[in-house]
PDB file of all heavy atoms in Angstrom:
ATOM      1  N   LYS A  10      13.911  11.852  25.668  1.00 97.00           N
ATOM      2  CA  LYS A  10      14.051  12.571  24.393  1.00 97.00           C
ATOM      3  C   LYS A  10      14.884  11.686  23.416  1.00 97.00           C
ATOM      4  O   LYS A  10      16.067  11.374  23.766  1.00 97.00           O
ATOM      5  CB  LYS A  10      14.711  13.893  24.653  1.00 97.00           C
ATOM      6  CG  LYS A  10      14.758  14.794  23.421  1.00 97.00           C
ATOM      7  CD  LYS A  10      14.768  16.265  23.826  1.00 97.00           C
ATOM      8  CE  LYS A  10      14.716  17.134  22.543  1.00 97.00           C
ATOM      9  NZ  LYS A  10      14.148  18.407  22.757  1.00 97.00           N
ATOM     10  N   ASP A  25       5.381   7.248   9.134  1.00 95.00           N
ATOM     11  CA  ASP A  25       4.197   8.031   8.683  1.00 95.00           C
ATOM     12  C   ASP A  25       2.948   7.147   8.885  1.00 95.00           C
ATOM     13  O   ASP A  25       1.913   7.678   9.340  1.00 95.00           O
ATOM     14  CB  ASP A  25       4.265   8.355   7.213  1.00 95.00           C
ATOM     15  CG  ASP A  25       5.191   9.549   6.983  1.00 95.00           C
ATOM     16  OD1 ASP A  25       5.706  10.138   7.978  1.00 95.00           O
ATOM     17  OD2 ASP A  25       5.448   9.863   5.767  1.00 95.00           O
ATOM     18  N   VAL A  38       9.840  12.107  20.681  1.00 98.00           N
ATOM     19  CA  VAL A  38      10.605  11.322  19.679  1.00 98.00           C
ATOM     20  C   VAL A  38      10.653  12.174  18.406  1.00 98.00           C
ATOM     21  O   VAL A  38       9.604  12.511  17.856  1.00 98.00           O
ATOM     22  CB  VAL A  38       9.948   9.974  19.421  1.00 98.00           C
ATOM     23  CG1 VAL A  38      10.675   9.228  18.306  1.00 98.00           C
ATOM     24  CG2 VAL A  38       9.929   9.123  20.655  1.00 98.00           C
ATOM     25  N   SER A  47      23.189   3.729   6.370  1.00 96.00           N
ATOM     26  CA  SER A  47      24.621   3.563   6.394  1.00 96.00           C
ATOM     27  C   SER A  47      25.404   4.878   6.183  1.00 96.00           C
ATOM     28  O   SER A  47      26.599   4.910   6.156  1.00 96.00           O
ATOM     29  CB  SER A  47      25.070   2.561   5.324  1.00 96.00           C
ATOM     30  OG  SER A  47      24.709   3.013   4.027  1.00 96.00           O
ATOM     31  N   LYS A  50      26.720   9.697  10.307  1.00 98.00           N
ATOM     32  CA  LYS A  50      28.043   9.842  10.833  1.00 98.00           C
ATOM     33  C   LYS A  50      27.993   9.691  12.356  1.00 98.00           C
ATOM     34  O   LYS A  50      27.112  10.232  12.996  1.00 98.00           O
ATOM     35  CB  LYS A  50      28.607  11.245  10.530  1.00 98.00           C
ATOM     36  CG  LYS A  50      28.939  11.464   9.031  1.00 98.00           C
ATOM     37  CD  LYS A  50      29.578  12.806   8.847  1.00 98.00           C
ATOM     38  CE  LYS A  50      29.914  13.038   7.355  1.00 98.00           C
ATOM     39  NZ  LYS A  50      30.439  14.362   7.116  1.00 98.00           N
ATOM     40  N   TYR A  56      26.956  14.147  18.819  1.00 98.00           N
ATOM     41  CA  TYR A  56      26.472  15.516  19.033  1.00 98.00           C
ATOM     42  C   TYR A  56      25.065  15.524  19.658  1.00 98.00           C
ATOM     43  O   TYR A  56      24.781  16.366  20.476  1.00 98.00           O
ATOM     44  CB  TYR A  56      26.449  16.254  17.673  1.00 98.00           C
ATOM     45  CG  TYR A  56      26.242  17.762  17.794  1.00 98.00           C
ATOM     46  CD1 TYR A  56      27.184  18.532  18.379  1.00 98.00           C
ATOM     47  CD2 TYR A  56      25.069  18.308  17.270  1.00 98.00           C
ATOM     48  CE1 TYR A  56      27.008  19.931  18.502  1.00 98.00           C
ATOM     49  CE2 TYR A  56      24.879  19.684  17.309  1.00 98.00           C
ATOM     50  CZ  TYR A  56      25.810  20.483  17.930  1.00 98.00           C
ATOM     51  OH  TYR A  56      25.607  21.834  18.057  1.00 98.00           O
ATOM     52  N   LYS A  83      27.344  -2.082   6.719  1.00 95.00           N
ATOM     53  CA  LYS A  83      27.928  -0.761   6.915  1.00 95.00           C
ATOM     54  C   LYS A  83      27.237  -0.013   8.099  1.00 95.00           C
ATOM     55  O   LYS A  83      27.893   0.744   8.821  1.00 95.00           O
ATOM     56  CB  LYS A  83      27.883   0.054   5.647  1.00 95.00           C
ATOM     57  CG  LYS A  83      28.957  -0.424   4.644  1.00 95.00           C
ATOM     58  CD  LYS A  83      28.737   0.217   3.287  1.00 95.00           C
ATOM     59  CE  LYS A  83      29.789  -0.371   2.311  1.00 95.00           C
ATOM     60  NZ  LYS A  83      29.339  -0.261   0.919  1.00 95.00           N
ATOM     61  N   SER A 112       9.158  -0.696   5.175  1.00 85.00           N
ATOM     62  CA  SER A 112       8.263   0.390   4.882  1.00 85.00           C
ATOM     63  C   SER A 112       6.850   0.199   5.490  1.00 85.00           C
ATOM     64  O   SER A 112       6.053   1.129   5.462  1.00 85.00           O
ATOM     65  CB  SER A 112       8.148   0.658   3.396  1.00 85.00           C
ATOM     66  OG  SER A 112       7.750  -0.543   2.763  1.00 85.00           O
TER      67      SER A 112
ATOM     68  N   SER B  71       2.792  14.577   5.382  1.00 95.00           N
ATOM     69  CA  SER B  71       4.015  13.869   4.923  1.00 95.00           C
ATOM     70  C   SER B  71       4.502  14.467   3.636  1.00 95.00           C
ATOM     71  O   SER B  71       3.684  14.671   2.710  1.00 95.00           O
ATOM     72  CB  SER B  71       3.737  12.405   4.797  1.00 95.00           C
ATOM     73  OG  SER B  71       4.804  11.762   4.149  1.00 95.00           O
ATOM     74  N   LYS B 116       6.179  19.370  20.142  1.00 98.00           N
ATOM     75  CA  LYS B 116       6.989  18.618  19.147  1.00 98.00           C
ATOM     76  C   LYS B 116       6.978  19.385  17.833  1.00 98.00           C
ATOM     77  O   LYS B 116       7.967  19.520  17.106  1.00 98.00           O
ATOM     78  CB  LYS B 116       6.473  17.240  18.954  1.00 98.00           C
ATOM     79  CG  LYS B 116       7.226  16.469  17.869  1.00 98.00           C
ATOM     80  CD  LYS B 116       6.824  14.993  17.832  1.00 98.00           C
ATOM     81  CE  LYS B 116       7.571  14.269  16.716  1.00 98.00           C
ATOM     82  NZ  LYS B 116       7.279  12.808  16.686  1.00 98.00           N
ATOM     83  N   LYS B 500       6.967  -4.869  -0.385  1.00 80.00           N
ATOM     84  CA  LYS B 500       6.780  -4.039   0.868  1.00 80.00           C
ATOM     85  C   LYS B 500       5.793  -2.951   0.718  1.00 80.00           C
ATOM     86  O   LYS B 500       5.994  -1.773   1.069  1.00 80.00           O
ATOM     87  CB  LYS B 500       8.163  -3.442   1.244  1.00 80.00           C
ATOM     88  CG  LYS B 500       9.214  -4.458   1.550  1.00 80.00           C
ATOM     89  CD  LYS B 500       8.987  -5.104   2.888  1.00 80.00           C
ATOM     90  CE  LYS B 500      10.176  -5.883   3.421  1.00 80.00           C
ATOM     91  NZ  LYS B 500      10.651  -6.967   2.544  1.00 80.00           N
ATOM     92  N   ALA B 584      34.140   2.005   0.217  1.00 95.00           N
ATOM     93  CA  ALA B 584      32.762   1.920   0.791  1.00 95.00           C
ATOM     94  C   ALA B 584      31.719   2.145  -0.287  1.00 95.00           C
ATOM     95  O   ALA B 584      30.606   1.648  -0.127  1.00 95.00           O
ATOM     96  CB  ALA B 584      32.614   2.989   1.861  1.00 95.00           C
ATOM     97  N   ASP B 621      36.732  13.420   8.045  1.00 96.00           N
ATOM     98  CA  ASP B 621      35.431  14.046   7.867  1.00 96.00           C
ATOM     99  C   ASP B 621      35.463  15.010   6.676  1.00 96.00           C
ATOM    100  O   ASP B 621      35.013  16.145   6.718  1.00 96.00           O
ATOM    101  CB  ASP B 621      35.011  14.772   9.141  1.00 96.00           C
ATOM    102  CG  ASP B 621      33.491  15.031   9.107  1.00 96.00           C
ATOM    103  OD1 ASP B 621      32.742  14.446   8.348  1.00 96.00           O
ATOM    104  OD2 ASP B 621      33.049  15.909   9.919  1.00 96.00           O
ATOM    105  N   ASP B 638      20.559  20.922  16.960  1.00 98.00           N
ATOM    106  CA  ASP B 638      20.518  22.131  17.840  1.00 98.00           C
ATOM    107  C   ASP B 638      19.077  22.650  17.959  1.00 98.00           C
ATOM    108  O   ASP B 638      18.592  22.928  19.062  1.00 98.00           O
ATOM    109  CB  ASP B 638      21.343  23.300  17.188  1.00 98.00           C
ATOM    110  CG  ASP B 638      22.820  23.100  17.342  1.00 98.00           C
ATOM    111  OD1 ASP B 638      23.197  22.320  18.267  1.00 98.00           O
ATOM    112  OD2 ASP B 638      23.605  23.691  16.570  1.00 98.00           O
ATOM    113  N   LEU B 640      16.303  20.983  17.526  1.00 98.00           N
ATOM    114  CA  LEU B 640      15.418  20.054  18.213  1.00 98.00           C
ATOM    115  C   LEU B 640      15.670  19.998  19.734  1.00 98.00           C
ATOM    116  O   LEU B 640      14.874  19.430  20.487  1.00 98.00           O
ATOM    117  CB  LEU B 640      15.643  18.617  17.652  1.00 98.00           C
ATOM    118  CG  LEU B 640      15.144  18.348  16.203  1.00 98.00           C
ATOM    119  CD1 LEU B 640      15.525  16.988  15.706  1.00 98.00           C
ATOM    120  CD2 LEU B 640      13.633  18.531  16.103  1.00 98.00           C
TER     121      LEU B 640
END
Side-chain angles (χ1 to χ4, degrees):
Chain A
K10 188 151 183 152
D25 282 356
V38 175
S47 63
K50 290 185 180 178
Y56 190 66
K83 284 170 184 157
S112 57
Chain B
S71 168
K116 177 172 179 175
K500 298 285 193 302
D621 198 16
D638 284 338
L640 291 173

